[in-house]
Amino acid sequence: MASACPTIVLVPLCVPGHLPSMFEAGKRLLNSTGGAMSLTVLFTQMTMAANLMSDVDDLIRKESDSGLDIHFHHLPAVQLPTDSPGAENFIMRFIQLHAPHVKAALSSLSSPVAAVVADYFCTTLFDVTRELALPVYAYFSSSASMLALILRLPVLDEEVTGDLVDMEGAVNVPGMPPVPAALLPAPLLTKGPNYEWMVYHGKRLMEAAGIIVYTVAELEPAVLAAIADGLCVPGRRAPTVYTVSPALPVKAAPGDGEQPHECVAWLDAQPPASVVLLCFGSMGGSFPPPQVREIADALERCGHRFLWVFRGPVPAGCGAPYPTDANVDELLPKGFLERTKDRGLVWPKWAPQKDIIAHSAIGGFVTHCGWNSVLESLWHGVPMAPWPLYAEQHLKAFELVSVMGVAVAMEVDRKRGNYVEAAELERAVKSVMGGSEEGQKAREKAAEAQALCRNAVEEGGSSYVSLQKLAREMADRCGAA
């Protein structure tokens, strides 16, 4: 891992919603240093899900040939927690167990450490960086609105004695319209171990040298201004926020003899902006039979072309919530594939969403509102119909519709497991594909957002300037040239 120049150390959470954006931001930060620093990545061993470590291996193979000064280090495996009451509690205990390994890895580096950048789920590791007298920055893979809520949460916790889901009225998230309490992220709805960890994050984030947020400043100006003005934590000022909007390269066109992915090949035969995409992220796409029937009925009735990424159930006892490939003959209503074969494709496996959403045939996107998916959609100017499923996705859906205006509203019954009736999905699909005034406005706003995203990463754009500022700050801290 030796390198002659100072290094920036990334400590990611090795899951699909966090690692890719953090690593891309790290590479862009590295480029912003002009060769004055290297990049070192510390990987936790996510042994409970082999596919996650396979993704890490693929990333390492790809980047080893990039020519960039990047070094990879696998931390020793730990004994997994076995009695955690929820995902947040499991992750926090899992990260805590790595503290001595992170300390040992940082201490053994032959290069001086310019800064440590830790995923915001890794704030327990701030104690390690303090012991080693190293500056630590938090990496926030979600929206600025979610950051504002987490920073505000410790004060909100003192203001509300019971569960937040039962509070009267709306929640004040600085820079946002009043947020209905029912739309808060799942871990915040009821007080307990998972909730307590989120409060903990809100407190620890205030200790960071800065917070790197994977967003576009022009998409969330009011929220970012509220954070900067100290409205989230009265009497205190939050660390400086650095926005690093996405740079989303799409896989190059197939070379001679190489075939495009089957989904992309199917899209090649469709008219421009004629296909609605239904895709629900790495942990989504698997629905109970009644919901599958509602989706199928909606797509059959709506009349639009569609590409539905449909996944099978999560295997029992696997330790990770990732779906399997779907058996469409078993799971779909009888005759559905035959009746829709001329205008629809049901894809039962993992799909290359970046390549699909970039295709000119895509005209709308029914999405779970994972932040990576949202930014991919906006990068290509595709309007959305939000179908939030877990974590903070209900808050993001609210922001996409009520603040950004890039999505059409869809009624999702959270009390019934985020159930959507066929008639409601049919209406939302027709709307997002341009069949209503709301849909037309969402399309216009999505086109404006596309321009904002792309301008942000150009020289002189907000994300470009933010990365340059961050690189200079890190270089100054370690005395790099």
Side-chain angles (χ1 to χ4, degrees):
M1 295 199 304
S3 177
C5 58
T7 191
I8 301 166
V9 179
L10 303 185
V11 187
L13 183 64
C14 295
V15 297
H18 291 239
L19 173 60
S21 71
M22 184 183 196
F23 187 73
E24 286 301 317
K27 287 199 301 181
R28 292 169 60 209
L29 180 59
L30 180 60
N31 286 329
S32 296
T33 70
M37 287 186 267
S38 66
L39 194 66
T40 300
V41 189
L42 306 184
F43 289 118
T44 53
Q45 299 288 313
M46 306 290 277
T47 54
M48 62 283 197
N51 61 314
L52 296 181
M53 295 317 298
S54 176
D55 290 345
V56 168
D57 292 339
D58 290 344
L59 181 149
I60 292 174
R61 280 194 295 271
K62 173 186 173 184
E63 297 303 331
S64 295
D65 299 327
S66 68
L68 295 173
D69 193 1
I70 304 176
H71 311 273
F72 302 101
H73 180 70
H74 288 276
L75 298 171
V78 299
Q79 187 70 37
L80 298 178
T82 58
D83 57 348
S84 294
E88 290 74 22
N89 185 269
F90 174 88
I91 290 170
M92 294 310 303
R93 293 178 61 192
F94 176 76
I95 295 300
Q96 276 184 310
L97 292 171
H98 284 85
H101 302 314
V102 171
K103 184 176 181 179
L106 292 173
S107 301
S108 68
L109 293 176
S110 58
S111 303
V113 176
V116 176
V117 179
D119 187 281
Y120 84 97
F121 268 93
C122 301
T123 57
T124 57
L125 299 179
F126 285 11
D127 294 329
V128 171
T129 58
R130 181 188 294 113
E131 290 175 26
L132 298 176
L134 297 174
V136 61
Y137 293 78
Y139 180 78
F140 205 82
S141 56
S142 189
S143 61
S145 62
M146 181 61 179
L147 173 60
L149 175 58
I150 296 301
L151 289 173
R152 166 146 169 67
L153 187 57
V155 174
L156 186 63
D157 179 53
E158 295 178 358
E159 293 174 350
V160 182
T161 56
D163 291 337
L164 299 190
V165 71
D166 297 326
M167 65 181 293
E168 296 183 4
V171 178
N172 172 27
V173 179
M176 292 272 286
V179 177
L183 300 182
L184 289 176
L188 305 188
L189 293 175
T190 57
K191 295 187 177 182
N194 298 309
Y195 170 89
E196 290 165 5
W197 275 118
M198 302 306 288
V199 174
Y200 175 91
H201 289 318
K203 294 176 179 177
R204 296 304 301 265
L205 284 171
M206 294 293 291
E207 302 172 21
I211 303 175
I212 304 166
V213 185
Y214 195 60
T215 192
V216 180
E218 290 81 2
L219 292 179
E220 302 184 276
V223 174
L224 290 166
I227 294 172
D229 292 341
L231 299 183
C232 297
V233 187
R236 300 177 63 191
R237 188 170 294 275
T240 301
V241 170
Y242 302 88
T243 56
V244 288
S245 66
L248 299 170
V250 177
K251 184 178 178 182
D256 293 339
E258 183 183 359
Q259 296 299 313
H261 189 276
E262 188 174 331
C263 290
V264 175
W266 183 82
L267 288 170
D268 287 341
Q270 311 307 317
S274 67
V275 177
V276 61
L277 170 65
L278 294 87
C279 191
F280 302 94
S282 58
M283 293 194 297
S286 174
F287 294 98
Q291 183 65 86
V292 171
R293 289 193 294 272
E294 296 294 306
I295 297 172
D297 287 349
L299 293 177
E300 190 167 348
R301 296 199 306 245
C302 76
H304 286 284
R305 291 174 170 85
F306 64 86
L307 197 171
W308 177 13
V309 181
F310 174 45
R311 306 303 306 279
V314 176
C318 69
Y322 296 97
T324 56
D325 294 346
N327 185 328
V328 293
D329 292 329
E330 273 186 13
L331 299 173
L332 289 176
K334 186 177 180 179
F336 171 77
L337 292 176
E338 178 65 24
R339 293 191 296 272
T340 59
K341 65 181 181 180
D342 293 331
R343 60 180 177 86
L345 174 64
V346 178
W347 188 250
K349 298 178 283 188
W350 175 89
Q353 181 177 286
K354 281 186 180 181
D355 299 337
I356 292 170
I357 202 73
H359 200 285
S360 61
I362 298 297
F365 185 16
V366 178
T367 174
H368 66 307
C369 298
W371 193 236
N372 290 326
S373 295
V374 167
L375 291 179
E376 287 169 17
S377 195
L378 295 182
W379 181 263
H380 297 290
V382 177
M384 289 164 276
W387 187 339
L389 298 174
Y390 50 85
E392 74 272 33
Q393 292 164 8
H394 289 270
L395 175 66
K396 292 172 184 172
F398 174 79
E399 183 178 19
L400 293 175
V401 173
S402 302
V403 181
M404 297 185 192
V406 296
V408 301
M410 186 163 72
E411 186 175 338
V412 178
D413 191 341
R414 196 172 189 180
K415 293 181 179 179
R416 295 174 62 193
N418 301 307
Y419 195 79
V420 175
E421 302 280 356
E424 177 63 5
L425 179 58
E426 178 186 1
R427 182 204 62 77
V429 167
K430 289 179 177 178
S431 179
V432 80
M433 295 300 287
S436 70
E437 183 179 351
E438 180 189 19
Q440 290 289 357
K441 288 182 178 178
R443 187 167 302 278
E444 293 168 4
K445 286 291 186 179
E448 294 173 9
Q450 178 183 27
L452 294 176
C453 289
R454 299 192 177 217
N455 290 340
V457 298
E458 296 293 333
E459 185 171 355
S462 59
S463 292
Y464 179 93
V465 170
S466 187
L467 276 168
Q468 293 288 325
K469 179 183 177 183
L470 180 59
R472 286 195 303 270
E473 181 177 311
M474 289 181 174
D476 290 344
R477 284 181 181 272
C478 69

